[in-house]
Amino acid sequence: MSRFLAAPGRTAGPVARLALTGDLARPARLTVAELRAWPQHRTAVHFECATSGTRRHAFTGPLLYDVLSAAGPVFDLTRRKDRLRFLIAVRGADGHHALLSWAEIDPDFGRAPVLLAVTLDDRPLDPAGPQLVLPQDRCGARHISGITAIRVDGGYPAPNGSG
């Protein structure tokens, strides 16, 4: 088991947890504090918000790719492109959700530097939970605050005769 997905320790009081589920060898429940164990990346973003104009923020956190890779997506390694059928569904505490493809974050394809942010403008996000940050997006619609769940789903097989 990855050192990053070790059994969580005890904490005092309620702590926001992110559930990693789906087609994973090692599903997990992680806190912001546990996400700090991964290598941290910092990014400054600006995006157009339909209701309040341009928003600018700085975030730090691990790459979504690193966290999900540690959870062991169950790709069929005998099929070279199997990982391309996997989708990633992200849900926030407020019900907001977004969908990404594995190819977007995979270094062999889109290599998008998507973060699971643990800080926003240098403020810790421990009480609310991590945030999904897509620095490449012009619009902030896929930005998810207070992530409660990420589901990796490979249930989209190639049509017969393809692959």
Side-chain angles (χ1 to χ4, degrees):
M1 175 179 280
S2 168
R3 68 184 170 112
F4 300 121
L5 294 179
R10 296 214 179 266
T11 59
V15 175
R17 291 197 182 275
L18 154 64
L20 299 179
T21 64
D23 295 326
L24 300 170
R26 294 174 296 283
R29 292 183 55 80
L30 302 170
T31 65
V32 168
E34 291 163 336
L35 289 171
R36 285 193 189 95
W38 269 269
Q40 299 294 293
H41 300 266
R42 184 171 178 86
T43 189
V45 300
H46 68 277
F47 55 86
E48 299 299 321
C49 180
T51 58
S52 59
T54 301
R55 306 288 301 249
R56 298 179 191 282
H57 295 288
F59 295 92
T60 58
L63 293 173
L64 175 63
Y65 176 82
D66 292 345
V67 174
L68 293 181
S69 292
V74 291
F75 305 136
D76 180 350
L77 299 178
T78 65
R79 294 180 55 217
R80 188 171 64 91
K81 299 178 186 176
D82 189 56
R83 60 193 156 150
L84 298 180
R85 69 184 171 90
F86 281 69
L87 297 177
I88 304 162
V90 182
R91 185 180 68 231
D94 62 358
H96 193 82
H97 57 275
L99 190 63
L100 296 90
S101 71
W102 185 268
E104 282 182 84
I105 65 170
D106 191 304
D108 288 338
F109 300 99
R111 195 187 308 232
V114 177
L115 293 184
L116 290 176
V118 297
T119 69
L120 164 61
D121 298 329
D122 298 319
R123 291 186 319 267
L125 293 171
D126 297 75
Q131 294 189 14
L132 183 72
V133 177
L134 295 98
Q136 70 278 9
D137 284 5
R138 183 188 64 78
C139 170
R142 291 197 296 174
H143 176 98
I144 307 289
S145 299
I147 300 171
T148 59
I150 298 176
R151 179 172 178 76
V152 176
D153 192 341
Y156 304 92
N160 288 338
S162 298

